[in-house]
Amino acid sequence: MPWSFRSSTPTWLRMSSCSWEMTYNTNAQVPDSAGTATAYLCGVKANEGTVGVSAATERSRCNTTQGNEVTSILRWAKDAGKSVGIVTTTRVNHATPSAAYAHSADRDWYSDNEMPPEALSQGCKDIAYQLVHNIRDIDVIMGGGRKYMYPKNKTDVEYEIDEKARGTRLDGLDLVNIWKSFKPRHKHSHFIWNRTELLTLDPHNVDYLLGLFEPGDMQYELNRNNVTDPSLSEMVVVAIQILRKNPKGFFLLVEGGRIDHGHHEGKAKQALHEAVEMDRAIGQAGSMTSLEDTLTVVTADHSHVFTFGGYTPRGNSIFGLAPMLSDTDKKPFTAILYGNGPGYKVVGGERENVSMVDYAHNNYQAQSAVPLRHETHGGEDVAVFSKGPMAHLLHGVHEQNYIPHVMAYAACIGANLDHCAHASSAGSLAAGPLLLPLALFPLSILF
């Protein structure tokens, strides 16, 4: 699909309010996704690599966790009687979603198989375990990550001969069955693992939904199996259909997390098609909710060292070449480039001539200035787009951890409720549904 600036305006750019957020972690100028998720979900800055804990917790040190746990806006919403949900294209125990429910000194402790013996002996629990046990009544959970829920070497339901897809848990627990056991008998709980099951659900007969569609992260949108794997927008539609039944409203965290992965792999085409699907999901959410009672916030948790230049003319494919040669090595270059990453290539002692390769391929790795196996995040501020009640509070430049406090203020949840009694007596209502879609790429640079 050739992309150009003649394409329609993304949904988030049509939102009423725009601001900027500073993304650094407490110990890092350029952040990671765990510390940033803790900021925009829990309202406090944290160290890189840690989720759901304050900066008093040091990465990988289990014994610094206790007493430093912080709760998220998902927890605040659930405590207020709202329905809550998580939808992601990554593993459901990946950095971003895990900050909504877990407290971990290390984002990589997906199951106990990934934890060091010292952390296990000190009583720390893996993130998949915490997903099932910490907030037992999360109404909707959808994404990837099946293998972290099952005992070691348990065969995957979809990839029966793939050893990498097998269960990872050393404790022998079947967390899916435990999830089911925690649900009240008079409620309708459903575990599903494929798109057909998702699309045949009757949302009116679903109280709790756990959908795990891949052993690890979900497939890129361009590679997605349309039979077994739902799209992000399809998951969002079903999630809202279930959550909006609650008259007290809902909170839904939506993450287009594979945008980030595409950039790390230097695959700009994969990343940007993920961004288009994220935009579809935002549009679907907008069509199913009301500006009158729904605050929607769209942002990134960080940027990437991803750039778009070369004086390309209007109408040029963004995956195409710049209309000029380098005035130094006399070779062409693509409009999209990375500051670092796996796209760095030297052929015969010189920069690769990109006109000799298929730079429009889905998995083409755009050239980078510095060779790295994985491209890094960027450290600049990122945009925050919002609409709905109290959206005007998201203006100017703010610390990243300001975001959940605005959402909580708008919805009258969390610790600060003084203004809610006044609003109620004046006859005004707090926002009901809260949507926090996260597009993990540099909005400010791309558009």
Side-chain angles (χ1 to χ4, degrees):
M1 181 175 81
W3 285 18
S4 75
F5 278 111
R6 291 177 294 182
S7 301
S8 60
T9 303
T11 302
W12 57 74
L13 289 185
R14 299 195 294 271
M15 292 185 172
S16 59
S17 296
C18 178
S19 63
W20 296 90
E21 58 173 298
M22 294 180 280
T23 65
Y24 64 90
N25 298 148
T26 51
N27 63 341
Q29 290 178 328
V30 178
D32 95 307
S33 298
T36 55
T38 302
Y40 60 70
L41 290 174
C42 303
V44 298
K45 290 270 187 177
N47 293 326
E48 63 88 23
T50 65
V51 292
V53 289
S54 73
T57 297
E58 300 175 36
R59 184 169 189 176
S60 300
R61 292 189 61 188
C62 168
N63 62 0
T64 65
T65 304
Q66 188 172 1
N68 298 317
E69 300 90 344
V70 292
T71 57
S72 75
I73 188 171
L74 182 143
R75 164 74 80 173
W76 309 339
K78 175 54 72 172
D79 288 347
K82 297 181 184 293
S83 294
V84 297
I86 297 169
V87 174
T88 180
T89 52
T90 68
R91 287 155 278 186
V92 294
N93 50 349
H94 204 255
T96 293
S98 65
Y101 58 82
H103 314 287
S104 179
D106 200 308
R107 58 175 287 179
D108 294 332
W109 292 350
Y110 300 119
S111 73
D112 58 348
N113 184 63
E114 289 76 39
M115 296 179 67
E118 181 183 41
L120 291 171
S121 66
Q122 291 173 348
C124 281
K125 297 297 184 182
D126 63 87
I127 296 173
Y129 181 96
Q130 293 188 56
L131 170 62
V132 172
H133 289 82
N134 283 7
I135 307 177
R136 298 185 179 187
D137 52 355
I138 297 176
D139 303 88
V140 173
I141 304 167
M142 282 192 278
R146 274 197 307 263
K147 65 181 181 180
Y148 305 106
M149 310 294 280
Y150 291 111
K152 184 80 170 177
N153 292 324
K154 179 179 173 63
T155 301
D156 184 70
V157 66
E158 183 177 3
Y159 304 102
E160 296 182 359
I161 62 173
D162 186 352
E163 293 185 3
K164 293 182 178 180
R166 293 177 180 174
T168 64
R169 302 199 62 80
L170 301 178
D171 56 17
L173 295 178
D174 183 327
L175 291 180
V176 172
N177 279 338
I178 292 175
W179 175 85
K180 293 177 181 177
S181 73
F182 287 159
K183 302 300 174 284
R185 292 187 180 277
H186 65 284
K187 296 290 187 179
H188 301 286
S189 59
H190 297 260
F191 168 70
I192 58 174
W193 66 269
N194 63 60
R195 179 175 182 264
T196 300
E197 291 178 326
L198 176 70
L199 299 185
T200 54
L201 284 174
D202 178 0
H204 297 289
N205 293 321
V206 179
D207 296 304
Y208 297 100
L209 176 62
L210 175 60
L212 301 176
F213 304 105
E214 285 288 332
D217 299 317
M218 294 185 69
Q219 299 293 326
Y220 285 121
E221 179 64 18
L222 286 175
N223 304 344
R224 180 169 61 88
N225 183 321
N226 292 331
V227 175
T228 57
D229 293 344
S231 66
L232 180 63
S233 55
E234 289 171 338
M235 291 190 290
V236 166
V237 167
V238 174
I240 293 177
Q241 288 174 336
I242 295 169
L243 298 175
R244 68 182 179 185
K245 295 183 296 181
N246 187 340
K248 293 185 177 181
F250 64 85
F251 169 81
L252 176 60
L253 170 65
V254 179
E255 182 200 17
R258 301 234 64 197
I259 303 171
D260 174 75
H261 295 176
H263 285 311
H264 281 310
E265 294 177 6
K267 299 174 181 178
K269 194 166 190 178
Q270 295 283 11
L272 296 187
H273 276 268
E274 293 294 307
V276 169
E277 178 56 27
M278 181 71 185
D279 188 58
R280 291 193 191 102
I282 295 168
Q284 290 280 16
S287 69
M288 299 175 70
T289 54
S290 168
L291 272 174
E292 299 299 318
D293 65 4
T294 306
L295 173 61
T296 303
V297 180
V298 180
T299 189
D301 65 343
H302 53 71
S303 71
H304 280 265
V305 291
F306 167 70
T307 189
F308 174 47
Y311 301 113
T312 53
R314 293 291 294 271
N316 194 70
S317 169
I318 62 173
F319 302 117
L321 298 175
M324 56 194 292
L325 300 179
S326 165
D327 58 8
T328 301
D329 65 10
K330 309 304 179 185
K331 289 186 173 65
F333 60 96
T334 53
I336 287 176
L337 298 167
Y338 287 95
N340 57 50
Y344 179 93
K345 289 182 176 64
V346 174
V347 178
E350 298 181 342
R351 181 172 68 91
E352 182 181 48
N353 187 335
V354 294
S355 65
M356 306 298 289
V357 300
D358 183 7
Y359 51 79
H361 191 277
N362 290 350
N363 290 322
Y364 171 70
Q365 293 176 310
Q367 289 188 335
S368 64
V370 176
L372 287 176
R373 288 189 179 89
H374 301 282
E375 176 263 4
T376 72
H377 297 165
E380 60 271 288
D381 299 349
V382 297
V384 184
F385 300 96
S386 58
K387 65 177 182 177
M390 299 292 176
H392 65 279
L393 295 177
L394 290 165
H395 69 285
V397 181
H398 298 283
E399 294 284 2
Q400 190 170 49
N401 58 300
Y402 171 73
I403 292 174
H405 296 294
V406 169
M407 300 186 77
Y409 184 89
C412 283
I413 61 176
N416 180 13
L417 302 177
D418 293 344
H419 65 292
C420 302
H422 174 74
S424 178
S425 63
S428 58
L429 297 176
L434 293 171
L435 296 171
L436 181 53
L438 299 166
L440 305 184
F441 69 109
L443 294 166
S444 57
I445 292 176
L446 179 57
F447 295 100

